[in-house]
Amino acid sequence: MSPAPAPAAAPAAAPALAIRCRGVEKSYGSGDALVHALRKVDLDVAMGELLMLVGPSGCGKTTLISVLAGILDADAGEVAVLGADLRTMAKREVTRWRGEQVGFVFQAYNLVPTLTVEENVAIPLLLRGTPRRLALARAGELLEQVGLGARRRSAPRDLSGGQQQRVAIARSLVHEPRLLVCDEPTSALDAETGHGVMELLRAHAVRADRALVLVTHDSRIFEFADRIARMEDGRIRAVEPGRAALATEPH
Amino acid sequence: MIRIALKMLVGDRARYLGIVMGLTFAALLITQQSAIFVGLMTRTFGSITDLGQPGIWVMDPKVQFVDDVKPLQDTELLRVRGVDGVAWAVPLYKGLLKVRLHDGAYQTCNVFGLDDATLLGGPPEMVEGTLADLRRAEGVIVDENGANGKLATVRPDGTRVPLRVGDTLELNDHRAIVVGICRVSRTFQSQPVLYTTYQRATTYAPRERKLLSFVLADPKPGVDPSELCARIEAATGLQALTSDGFKTATYGYFMKYTGIPINFGIAVLLGFVIGTAIAGQTFYNFTLDNLRHFGTLKAMGATGPLLLAMILVQALVAGSIGWGLGVGGASLFGIVSRNSELAFRMPWQLLAISGGAVLFICLASALLAIKTVLRLEPAIVFKG
Ligand SMILES: Nc1ncnc2c1ncn2[C@@H]1O[C@H](COP(=O)(O)OP(=O)(O)OP(=O)(O)O)[C@@H](O)[C@H]1O
Ligand SMILES: [Mg+2]
């Protein structure tokens, strides 16, 4: 038995990078109304990681995840997400990339009220042309996972806030995106319900081939982070390990 | 996603109803008003339609429409007959004469005098008796509406007795016997219609130098009617029109010199404008209310063309339903008013016109909505 030569870079030692930002700038408006929302942001997020973005209101958290998810164009800098160089891609390409690679969870859930719960969950699949029957079946599976299998045919308004956010999580995962962005997913919920939503996210969304970026100012859920990036006035001030990383082995 | 788009549209009952009602209202008003308009316009040339014969009308050059009679000399008939290509030509008397009823009352009637030999130009439909009965001495044929209405006699106790076959009338001191009852198209003239022979009509009519109203002619086989008209005009100095041409001229006269088209034009336009305002406004509001959801779809990867298709489908479905209901409502109106005095005609062209108008309303409001949605920054989805 001759030992195989060791590879130059062991993948286990350095997990693949999901997001790499360098010198990202973004401002809104012009003249007197000019607002520098992002001032030279550098950020790396690894695959398999849940990174939380925290900081005071107006510091640029939402702007940053919008840039990362490809729904807002940066003014300057380098934005490489899941191997795609977003700043050089055409708008159409970015739209398609987003539809396939990114899942969203919003503070306001953003479920379409006139559709059933399962139809809402199926939307990302329907958008890429998956046949309705298949899409609904897959949506049903996801709803089972988030504990709402029995409510597939309900209208969103008949569910509680926590349940609606679980539906939104099912929707964000149904097409198996490799990046999940969540903006204040627990802010509209009470502590206990928010806790449940985060447990659900950690249990079903965190995977070795997926990165999560979650914006929050809810310190009660910091314990679910692998790392926490603190933002202030358009800059990232510090990145600290979160309690989830300390408490558990890498998944 | 088209199905999703439709559920988005239909899901909001109140708003959906608003959109559809607006479109229904627009379609109804446009169709119904134009149908009445078309009906009225058809009446203007009712006498030409009744004549049936797809022939040629020869008349004084100054005649502008069918009820505008300017008598010709009897000799003009012979001159028309002499034109090359004319198969036959017959005289027609058309004039308003006073009829004295049984009870002594007078009633003005629209009297047609038909060529004695051929009786060409008779009523389109007989209810009682035949056209040939006109050959009987003193015979006249009366139209149904006139017989039951203005020509009916009123008994002292107030009951109305319709004019019947066998009854007598008096025209300018000449006796006339009713030998038949016919049905005619309604015209703008509300007088009863009376048919008799040309000879008899000229005896009923007040003594005048000229009594010939029109010469009706027909081209020989293979002769083009409009060409023959030109030839007749050149040969006689009279005006010659095909019956379609005469209809157009009559209808054109009413279009030009009466307020009818303007009145209906305004009503139709009003329907269009109000419909556009209501439907366009509600549809646009519907889109605005759904802006967050369109933004969410956009964030999740919906492309511009897909959103466009979704909004178009929403608009077109609402449009089709609204148009269907509107046109259905207008037809219902037509059926209900079938036996009334109201003029109502709904040829397929009207459906096409109201369909086009509704389509325009839908596309216009969809376009407005699409513009807003396409401009939408998907980043709004993160707003609380
Ligand atoms: N569309 C916009 N037009 C102009 N200014 C904007 C716009 N969106 C955000 N801003 C400004 O950019 C800055 C960063 O906004 P952003 O929404 O990223 O902050 P945030 O950290 O998410 O705040 P919050 O915790 O309140 O959600 C703020 O000063 C905000 O007012
Ligand atoms: Mg924010």
Side-chain angles (χ1 to χ4, degrees), chain B residues 119-131:
Chain B
L119 295 180
L120 276 168
E125 189 184 346
M126 293 298 296
V127 179
E128 223 185 313
T130 66
L131 186 58

Side-chain angles (χ1 to χ4, degrees), chain A residues 62 65-66 71-72 95 98-99 104 106 108 110-116 119 123-124 126-127 132 171 183, chain B residues 1 3-4 7-8 11-12 292-293 296-303 305-306 377-379 381-384:
Chain A
T62 297
I65 57 162
S66 301
I71 57 179
L72 208 58
T95 303
R98 204 166 59 220
F104 292 91
F106 311 99
N110 290 0
L111 301 175
V112 182
T114 51
L115 302 181
T116 62
E119 281 170 331
I123 285 178
L126 295 173
L127 278 176
R132 185 178 161 87
R171 179 180 65 183
D183 196 12
Chain B
M1 284 314 290
R3 200 152 151 188
I4 296 287
K7 277 196 91 170
M8 282 171 77
D12 185 348
R292 165 171 286 275
H293 306 126
T296 308
L297 295 180
K298 234 176 154 171
M300 293 193 294
T303 57
L306 178 67
E377 277 293 343
V381 290
F382 286 129
K383 299 275 182 314

Side-chain angles (χ1 to χ4, degrees), chain B residues 159-172:
Chain B
T159 52
R160 286 177 87 80
V161 183
L163 195 67
R164 275 190 296 250
V165 170
D167 287 351
T168 57
L169 299 165
E170 219 173 86
L171 287 105
N172 262 343

